[in-house]
Amino acid sequence: MRTLISTAFVSLDGVVEAPGGEPGYRNSGWTYKDIEFVPEAFEIKGREQQEATAMLLGRVSYEAFSPVWPDMADFAEYKLMPKYVVSTTLGEDDLVDNWGDTTILRSLDEIAALKETEGGPIIVHGSAALNRSLSDAGLIDRYHLLVFPLLLGAGKRLFSDTDKDSQKLRLVEHEAYANGLQKNVFDVIHVIR
């Protein structure tokens, strides 16, 4: 069974919207505004590219990343990696042709089936709505969170507000940095019922 890893830049109050400057959000670009850059805090981002064997994205994140990431040196390891886009509306003609093999998945059942295949970890970048659905369905196995010392208030959140049983996590790696960022890596403890 493959490990599904959710990786996110997240504010202390749980917001994940527009960390890199995406338009349409009041606090867009919050990861680099008024936060001193500390390179060691982002080491995990390079490690993710080395360890992941596939990428899973929601449609909105795919449409934001696919025009830019294929030509960025910072994301070179992802270029040839197989990608899976979860969408009920995206068609084959909507996929870019310079970012490796991309498969459209239409449901959580298809994601669960993908996890059952042979291979290494699958990484989920961005994709706030997809992350909430994956979490609620018990499909996420690990979280890589870079928590920023900010309260953003309104915005898309990483975790849903669905009324559900508690989900236990095990902290497997953590570090705090001089600029206030915290790296928290959690394994999800799956309870078989």
Side-chain angles (χ1 to χ4, degrees), residues 65-94:
F65 298 161
S66 64
V68 181
W69 281 26
D71 298 321
M72 290 181 71
D74 287 346
F75 303 113
E77 300 290 333
Y78 288 136
K79 185 161 185 161
L80 297 177
M81 186 178 296
K83 282 149 216 81
Y84 298 89
V85 182
V86 183
S87 174
T88 58
T89 59
L90 209 61
E92 294 294 327
D93 292 344
D94 298 315

Side-chain angles (χ1 to χ4, degrees), residues 27 29-37 148-150 179-181:
N27 292 310
W30 50 269
T31 58
Y32 59 85
K33 290 180 182 174
D34 302 320
I35 304 261
E36 177 190 355
F37 180 72
F148 285 71
L150 299 167
N179 62 356
L181 261 71

